[in-house]
Structure formats: C-alpha cells, structure tokens
Amino acid sequence: MKQYSSKKSIQLLAHHLDALGVHHFVISPGSRNAPIAIHFTQIENFHCYSIVDERSAAFVAMGMAKRLGKPVGVICTSGSAAVNYYPAVTEAFYQNIPLLLLTADRPTDFVDLFDGQTIRQKNIFHQHSYGDFELKEDGDFEAEESNAEILTKAISLCVEKQGPVHINIPLEEPLYEFVTEIKKFRTPEAMIAQSQYALPSKLATEWNAAKKILILTGTLKDNAELQMLLAQIVKNHSAVVLTEVNSNLHDDKFFNHIDRYIFNFSEEDYRAYAPDLLITVGQNVVSKKVKQFLRKAQPTQHWHIDKHWHPDTYFALTERVKAAPEVFFQQLLSVARLEPHSYFNLWTNLKDKADHRHTLFLPKVPFSDFLAMSYLSKAIPQDYHVHFSNSSVIRYAQLFDFKHTVHCNRGTSGIDGSTSTAMGYAMVSDSPTVLITGDIGFFYDINGLWNQYIPPYTRIILLNNGGGDIFKIIPGPSQAMALNEFIATTHHKSAEALAKHFGFEFTQASDDITLSRILSKFFENSARPKILEINTQNVDNASVLKQYFREVSPKNE
C-alpha cells in the first residue's frame, strides 16, 4: 500500500506539477524535504533521481531540462543545501533552461532564531530567477486556495520564461505522518502569455539598403528550420553567416571557424570586414576575438534576435527583436531582397586561405590537445550528442568540424557543472552522450558521477594536460609568477582511480598511435560507461596552439 504525505501543501504541489507537465525530479537527501521525497516517489507519473550533492544535483536537473525541453524540479532540505543550487541557477538563468527549485524550509517564524539548518531562504535566488514564491503552511487560513494560485503561477512562469523559478516550502513538524489516500483537487490551467511577432517595415528597408550584412550566431539549440532559412540567405551570397560549434548550424556556405579567420586582424582589417548591418542570433558567443572585432566595427545597425535576452554586447544595438529566430527570418525572407554582395566574396577569400593553411598545419602537429581534438572531431559517431566543458576545451572545439548536436554551459561559462550537466542530459536521452572535458573541470565536478542512473553507452573523454591550460593560452596570466600553483593549478592527477570508484571502464592514451587505436573501439557497446583519459601533461599545448594561429593566419603571406 502506498504512503503519501499527510501535508496538504505537498499533496497540492504534486497535483499541480503533474497536471502542468512537470514529471522529472532530482532529490537530495535530507529530513525537512522528506515529506516531499516520500510523497513524490509514490506518484505514478513522476520520475525521481537521488543525487547527494545539491550543487551537482541542480546541474544534473539542468542537463535533464536541456534534453527534455521542459521544467525539471530539484528538491532539497533547508539551510545551506538550498544555497548550493546557486551556480546552476545562474547558468540556467542565462541559458534559459527551465529549472524549478523546490526548497523545503523551517516554519517562517523560525528564521534568525539560530534553529538548525535555518537561513533566510525566501527570495534567496531573486537576482537570477524569473519568479520567487513561498507556499503557506497548512495551518494558515485559506492556505489551499492561496497555494493553488501560487503553484499555477510559478509553474507557468517557469514554462513561459524557460528559466529558473523558486518555490520555498515551509514545513512544520511532524514530517513523517502519512495517509493512504490523497485529497482531490481542482485541475489547474496553465497561465502562459502568448506573444505574436510582426516584422516592422523599417527592418526590411534597412536590410535592402545594407551592402555588408553579417549574421553572427551564438549558442543555439538544434533548429532545422533556422538552418534552412539561413541557408537560403547565403545561397545568393546576400549575407555572411558566422557560426560557432555550439550554434548547431551547418552549411557549406556558413563560416564555421571564426577565430581561424580573424585571429590576426589588423586595424585595416577591422575596417574592411566591418558590417554596416549586424544581426546577432542566440546567446553567448565563445570567441573573444569576434567581440573585439565587432566592438571596434561599430555597425550602423545591430539587431539582436532572441525570445528572452537582448544584450548590447557590441555597444551598437539598435533593434531588440523579441521573437524566435526562425519566426523572424521567415518573415524577413518574405519581404527582403536577396541580392549578391561583394562582402560575401571578401569573407570567402579570407576563409579559403585560412582553411588551406589549417589543412597544411595538421600533418605537422605533434601529440597534443590540439591533435586530440582533431582526432575526436572525426571519431565520434554522428548519433552522439556532444557536451563540451568550458575554458580551453570549447575553444579548441571551435577550430574543428563537429557536426553533432553540441552543448556547452556558456550561460556563465564556468567549469563547475559541466560533468553533472552532461550526465543529467544522458540520463533522460534516447541518444548516446559524450562529454569532452578538461582536467580541472572534471576533477572539480566529480560528484556528477556519483549516481546509479548513467547509461552504459555514455562516454567521457578527459583532456588531462595537468592544469588549467587556458591560462597559458590567453594573454596576461602566463606572465604571472603565481601561474602554476594559484592560477593554472598544476597537478599530476589521473582519473583512473575515480573511474574504478564510480564504476566506469577506463583507458588512457599518451601518444597519437595509442589514441587512434583506442578511439577505433571506444564507442562500441559496453556494459558500463567509459572514460578515456588523453594525457598531455608532458606537452607544451599552449605553444602548439600559438604556433597554429601564427601559421594559419592569411596575414602571413
């Protein structure tokens, strides 16, 4: 016989979540949230996952929400447990990932009485959430009616804004009283505002007048319709489309490797390649060079296309287009002239020279992170969804062709939850997942492996260069005397013992021949997930990358 929580607020919470389509929950252990955990695990439509570390748990839930495209709940006990959600909350906020934060709490009159595990939880995420709510306790007058309204609004907001929403849930003792039947509640109706976009006529006029149109795409979900529309634009050489690996857009006439083309731009190049109309699509862009370029370019017109965010990243924003990009370009193409422009040929000449030099450079590359990434771009099966960690890994990825579904936590660009996010994604995905990660990010987030739900076809590829190699690549840190110990964090650790501890198969490659041999069988079916550690700790990876940019630049002719 099932045991449900006797608390009406918990029964009502579960009822609303079920009715409004939230069915996946990541639960961390605790006492104050025990009534929620016990109750939710008895609901037939609910899928519950136990993750001990709340910081990791929130990223796991975020990875699930990325894959499912709908809210996932995270449930924790009171006190510092809730604060551990914050890194994932900020990431979900800037990526627009629907995360529903369900934090159990002590009764409201216990706050600041120095009672155990009691902090100021109400509104704790307000700087990085789309809504902050607190349920009334069962003993409060009209609690049921008020809570029903709060829950409908909170869950609907999470769906509409596609971002984090917090519901704080004060619970009085006793916590472990159960019933065998649940009260019947009214079925809620979602409160989601529907918006329609209509293209202003002035934008068509500005497009038709522009001779140098540059479309820059940042982080985007897979979007076949958008890809088709942009392909129509470049077909007649009407505009230049710059993409990144995390844009998930692929066409032979797109410019897919921004840094390869503009790394050594001179002041003259900044002027020659500057657009008069810049259209940016999606969210965070990885390339720092393109940001420098466009900030100097100061285009006459800059439109940003996104349903949620309209940042003035390049200090030239003139039009905030609050629409899905496929909706915007569908309307634009119905009225815009698609005339060929010499601006496209200018970029094509630059691209052809840089791509040729890239091809010439590859046979000369010694075993290194650079060479490993080149191998991986060819070895990963097409059906795998690829997650990149931050810092040097996502930057290397920009230089190669990964025509897979790609993800990276570029909301805040931190290293802290890449493993947990990828594992959460893998847990609810019908496609296999591979995480390509650096060593500092991997060891930082090892609790992302501490669960029983990771599918056996999941793969992790660890580029272990013995520290934060990004700080030897970017200008500035490499000159600091504290580099190795306090910035790059040099180490000699291996993932072998961790792999055994968490039940992963483990292999290691320290040269290109071994790497090639391992990769030929690494993605074959197995009874357990696998970790491949590519050990480049004795390689000067930074010098390899710097030499690449010296040689690949067309300016070296």
Coordinates of all heavy atoms in Angstrom, one line a residue, residues 67-110:
R67 N 17.6 18.5 -22.3 CA 17.2 17.4 -23.1 C 15.7 17.3 -23.3 O 15.2 17.1 -24.4 CB 17.7 16.1 -22.6 CG 17.4 14.9 -23.5 CD 18.0 15.1 -24.9 NE 17.8 13.9 -25.7 CZ 17.6 14.0 -27.1 NH1 17.5 15.2 -27.7 NH2 17.4 12.9 -27.8
L68 N 15.0 17.5 -22.2 CA 13.5 17.3 -22.3 C 12.8 18.5 -22.8 O 11.7 18.4 -23.4 CB 13.0 17.0 -20.9 CG 13.5 15.7 -20.2 CD1 13.1 15.7 -18.7 CD2 12.9 14.5 -21.0
G69 N 13.4 19.7 -22.7 CA 12.8 20.9 -23.2 C 11.6 21.4 -22.3 O 10.8 22.2 -22.7
K70 N 11.6 20.9 -21.1 CA 10.5 21.3 -20.1 C 11.1 21.3 -18.7 O 12.1 20.7 -18.5 CB 9.3 20.5 -20.3 CG 9.5 19.0 -20.2 CD 8.2 18.2 -20.5 CE 8.4 16.7 -20.4 NZ 7.1 16.0 -20.7
P71 N 10.3 21.9 -17.8 CA 10.9 22.1 -16.4 C 11.2 20.7 -15.8 O 10.5 19.7 -15.9 CB 9.8 22.8 -15.7 CG 9.0 23.5 -16.7 CD 9.1 22.6 -17.9
V72 N 12.3 20.8 -15.0 CA 12.7 19.7 -14.1 C 12.8 20.2 -12.7 O 13.4 21.3 -12.5 CB 14.0 19.0 -14.6 CG1 14.5 18.0 -13.5 CG2 13.8 18.3 -15.9
G73 N 12.3 19.5 -11.7 CA 12.3 20.0 -10.4 C 13.6 19.5 -9.6 O 14.0 18.4 -9.8
V74 N 14.1 20.4 -8.8 CA 15.2 20.0 -7.8 C 14.7 20.2 -6.4 O 14.1 21.3 -6.1 CB 16.5 20.7 -8.1 CG1 17.3 20.1 -9.2 CG2 16.3 22.2 -8.3
I75 N 14.9 19.2 -5.6 CA 14.2 19.2 -4.2 C 15.3 19.0 -3.2 O 16.1 18.1 -3.3 CB 13.2 18.1 -4.1 CG1 12.1 18.3 -5.2 CG2 12.6 18.0 -2.7 CD1 11.2 17.1 -5.4
C76 N 15.4 19.9 -2.2 CA 16.4 19.8 -1.2 C 15.8 20.2 0.2 O 14.7 20.7 0.3 CB 17.6 20.7 -1.5 SG 17.3 22.5 -1.3
T77 N 16.6 19.9 1.2 CA 16.2 20.2 2.6 C 16.6 21.7 2.8 O 17.0 22.4 1.9 CB 17.0 19.3 3.6 OG1 16.5 19.5 4.9 CG2 18.5 19.6 3.6
S78 N 16.4 22.1 4.0 CA 16.5 23.6 4.3 C 18.0 23.9 4.6 O 18.9 23.1 4.8 CB 15.7 23.9 5.5 OG 16.1 23.2 6.7
G79 N 18.3 25.2 4.7 CA 19.6 25.7 5.1 C 20.5 25.8 4.0 O 20.2 26.2 2.8
S80 N 21.8 25.5 4.2 CA 22.9 25.6 3.2 C 22.6 24.8 2.0 O 23.2 25.0 0.9 CB 24.2 25.3 3.8 OG 24.3 24.0 4.3
A81 N 21.8 23.7 2.1 CA 21.5 22.9 0.9 C 21.0 23.7 -0.2 O 21.4 23.5 -1.4 CB 20.5 21.8 1.3
A82 N 20.1 24.6 0.1 CA 19.5 25.4 -1.0 C 20.5 26.3 -1.6 O 20.5 26.5 -2.9 CB 18.3 26.3 -0.4
V83 N 21.4 26.9 -0.9 CA 22.4 27.8 -1.4 C 23.3 27.1 -2.4 O 23.8 27.7 -3.4 CB 23.3 28.4 -0.3 CG1 24.3 29.4 -0.8 CG2 22.4 29.1 0.7
N84 N 23.5 25.8 -2.3 CA 24.3 25.0 -3.2 C 23.7 25.0 -4.6 O 24.4 24.6 -5.5 CB 24.6 23.6 -2.7 CG 25.7 23.6 -1.6 OD1 26.8 23.9 -1.9 ND2 25.3 23.3 -0.4
Y85 N 22.5 25.3 -4.7 CA 21.9 25.3 -6.1 C 22.3 26.5 -6.9 O 22.1 26.5 -8.1 CB 20.3 25.4 -5.9 CG 19.6 24.1 -5.6 CD1 18.3 24.2 -5.1 CD2 20.2 22.9 -5.7 CE1 17.6 23.0 -4.8 CE2 19.5 21.7 -5.4 CZ 18.2 21.8 -4.9 OH 17.6 20.7 -4.6
Y86 N 22.9 27.5 -6.3 CA 23.0 28.8 -6.9 C 23.9 28.8 -8.2 O 23.6 29.5 -9.2 CB 23.6 29.9 -6.0 CG 22.9 31.2 -6.2 CD1 22.2 31.9 -5.2 CD2 22.9 31.8 -7.4 CE1 21.6 33.1 -5.4 CE2 22.3 33.0 -7.7 CZ 21.6 33.7 -6.6 OH 21.0 34.9 -6.9
P87 N 25.0 28.1 -8.3 CA 25.8 28.0 -9.5 C 24.9 27.6 -10.7 O 25.0 28.2 -11.8 CB 26.9 27.1 -9.2 CG 27.1 27.2 -7.8 CD 25.7 27.3 -7.2
A88 N 24.1 26.5 -10.5 CA 23.3 26.1 -11.6 C 22.2 27.0 -11.9 O 21.7 27.2 -13.1 CB 22.7 24.7 -11.3
V89 N 21.7 27.7 -10.9 CA 20.6 28.7 -11.1 C 21.1 29.8 -12.0 O 20.4 30.2 -12.9 CB 20.1 29.3 -9.7 CG1 19.2 30.5 -9.9 CG2 19.5 28.2 -8.9
T90 N 22.3 30.3 -11.8 CA 22.8 31.4 -12.6 C 23.0 30.9 -14.1 O 22.7 31.6 -15.0 CB 24.1 31.9 -12.1 OG1 25.1 30.9 -12.0 CG2 23.9 32.6 -10.7
E91 N 23.5 29.7 -14.2 CA 23.7 29.1 -15.5 C 22.3 28.9 -16.3 O 22.2 29.3 -17.4 CB 24.4 27.8 -15.5 CG 24.8 27.1 -16.8 CD 25.7 27.9 -17.6 OE1 26.6 28.6 -17.0 OE2 25.6 27.9 -18.9
A92 N 21.4 28.4 -15.6 CA 20.1 28.2 -16.2 C 19.4 29.5 -16.5 O 18.7 29.7 -17.5 CB 19.2 27.4 -15.2
F93 N 19.6 30.5 -15.7 CA 19.1 31.9 -15.9 C 19.6 32.5 -17.2 O 18.8 33.0 -18.0 CB 19.5 32.8 -14.7 CG 18.9 34.2 -14.8 CD1 17.6 34.4 -14.7 CD2 19.8 35.3 -14.9 CE1 17.1 35.7 -14.7 CE2 19.3 36.6 -15.0 CZ 17.9 36.8 -14.8
Y94 N 20.9 32.4 -17.5 CA 21.5 33.0 -18.7 C 21.4 32.1 -19.9 O 21.6 32.5 -21.0 CB 22.9 33.4 -18.4 CG 23.0 34.6 -17.5 CD1 23.5 34.5 -16.2 CD2 22.6 35.8 -18.0 CE1 23.6 35.6 -15.4 CE2 22.7 37.0 -17.2 CZ 23.2 36.9 -15.9 OH 23.2 38.0 -15.1
Q95 N 21.1 30.8 -19.7 CA 20.8 29.9 -20.8 C 19.3 29.7 -21.1 O 19.0 29.1 -22.1 CB 21.4 28.5 -20.6 CG 22.9 28.4 -20.9 CD 23.2 26.9 -21.1 OE1 22.8 26.2 -22.0 NE2 24.0 26.4 -20.2
N96 N 18.5 30.2 -20.2 CA 17.0 30.0 -20.3 C 16.7 28.5 -20.4 O 16.2 28.0 -21.4 CB 16.4 30.7 -21.5 CG 16.3 32.2 -21.3 OD1 17.1 33.0 -21.8 ND2 15.4 32.6 -20.5
I97 N 17.0 27.9 -19.3 CA 16.7 26.4 -19.1 C 15.7 26.4 -17.9 O 16.0 26.9 -16.8 CB 18.0 25.6 -18.8 CG1 19.0 25.7 -20.0 CG2 17.6 24.2 -18.4 CD1 20.3 25.0 -19.7
P98 N 14.6 25.7 -18.1 CA 13.5 25.7 -17.1 C 13.9 24.8 -15.9 O 13.7 23.6 -15.9 CB 12.3 25.2 -17.9 CG 12.9 24.4 -19.0 CD 14.2 25.0 -19.3
L99 N 14.3 25.4 -14.8 CA 14.7 24.7 -13.6 C 13.7 25.2 -12.5 O 13.5 26.4 -12.2 CB 16.1 25.1 -13.2 CG 16.9 24.2 -12.3 CD1 17.0 22.8 -12.9 CD2 18.3 24.8 -12.1
L100 N 13.0 24.2 -11.9 CA 12.1 24.5 -10.8 C 12.7 24.1 -9.5 O 12.9 23.0 -9.2 CB 10.8 23.7 -11.1 CG 9.5 24.2 -10.4 CD1 9.2 25.7 -10.7 CD2 8.3 23.3 -10.7
L101 N 13.0 25.2 -8.7 CA 13.7 25.0 -7.4 C 12.7 24.8 -6.3 O 11.9 25.8 -5.9 CB 14.6 26.2 -7.2 CG 15.5 26.6 -8.4 CD1 15.8 28.0 -8.3 CD2 16.7 25.7 -8.4
L102 N 12.6 23.6 -5.7 CA 11.7 23.3 -4.6 C 12.4 23.1 -3.4 O 13.0 22.0 -3.1 CB 10.9 22.1 -5.0 CG 10.2 22.1 -6.4 CD1 9.5 20.7 -6.7 CD2 9.1 23.2 -6.4
T103 N 12.5 24.1 -2.5 CA 13.3 24.1 -1.3 C 12.5 24.0 -0.1 O 11.6 24.8 0.2 CB 14.2 25.3 -1.2 OG1 13.4 26.5 -1.2 CG2 15.2 25.4 -2.4
A104 N 12.6 22.9 0.7 CA 11.9 22.7 1.9 C 12.5 23.7 2.9 O 13.7 24.1 2.9 CB 12.1 21.3 2.4
D105 N 11.7 24.2 3.9 CA 12.2 25.2 4.8 C 11.6 24.9 6.2 O 10.6 24.2 6.3 CB 11.8 26.6 4.3 CG 12.6 27.7 5.0 OD1 13.5 27.4 5.8 OD2 12.4 28.8 4.6
R106 N 12.2 25.5 7.2 CA 11.6 25.5 8.6 C 10.4 26.5 8.5 O 10.3 27.3 7.6 CB 12.6 26.1 9.6 CG 13.9 25.2 9.8 CD 13.5 23.8 10.2 NE 14.5 23.1 11.0 CZ 15.3 22.2 10.5 NH1 15.3 21.9 9.2 NH2 16.2 21.5 11.2
P107 N 9.5 26.4 9.5 CA 8.4 27.4 9.6 C 9.0 28.8 9.5 O 10.1 29.1 10.0 CB 7.8 27.0 10.9 CG 8.1 25.6 11.1 CD 9.5 25.4 10.6
T108 N 8.2 29.7 9.0 CA 8.7 31.1 8.7 C 9.1 31.8 10.0 O 10.0 32.6 10.0 CB 7.6 31.9 8.0 OG1 6.4 31.8 8.8 CG2 7.3 31.4 6.6
D109 N 8.5 31.5 11.1 CA 8.8 32.2 12.4 C 10.0 31.6 13.1 O 10.4 32.0 14.2 CB 7.6 32.2 13.4 CG 7.1 30.8 13.7 OD1 7.6 29.8 13.1 OD2 6.1 30.7 14.4
F110 N 10.7 30.6 12.4 CA 12.0 30.1 13.0 C 13.2 30.8 12.4 O 14.3 30.6 12.8 CB 12.1 28.6 12.6 CG 11.4 27.7 13.6 CD1 10.0 27.9 14.0 CD2 12.0 26.6 14.2 CE1 9.4 27.1 14.9 CE2 11.4 25.8 15.1 CZ 10.0 26.0 15.5

